[in-house]
Amino acid sequence: MAGIWRDFLTALVEAVRRRDTQPSADERRRAVEKLADQRIREDQRKRPPEH
C-alpha cells in the first residue's frame, strides 16, 4: 500500500514540476503573435508595396 502512495505522490510532484516549466498559454500566444509580426515585416521589406 505504501508503494501506491509513493507512486501517487511522485506522479503528483512531477506533474506540478512539469507544469511550472512549460510556458503558459498566454506566453505561447504572445510568442506566436510576435513571430507572425516579424515575418510580416520581413516579407514587406523584401517586396516593395504595389501601387
Side-chain angles (χ1 to χ4, degrees), residues 21-39:
T21 59
Q22 293 178 347
S24 70
D26 287 338
E27 290 172 339
R28 286 192 301 265
R29 180 183 49 78
R30 283 192 296 268
V32 168
E33 288 175 352
K34 182 178 179 182
L35 181 61
D37 289 342
Q38 288 174 349
R39 289 292 297 215

Side-chain angles (χ1 to χ4, degrees), residues 2-3 5 9 13-14 18 20-21 23-24 28 31 35 38 51:
W5 281 107
L9 291 175
V13 168
E14 286 298 318
R18 225 176 291 130
D20 288 344
T21 59
S24 70
R28 286 192 301 265
L35 181 61
Q38 288 174 349
H51 294 292

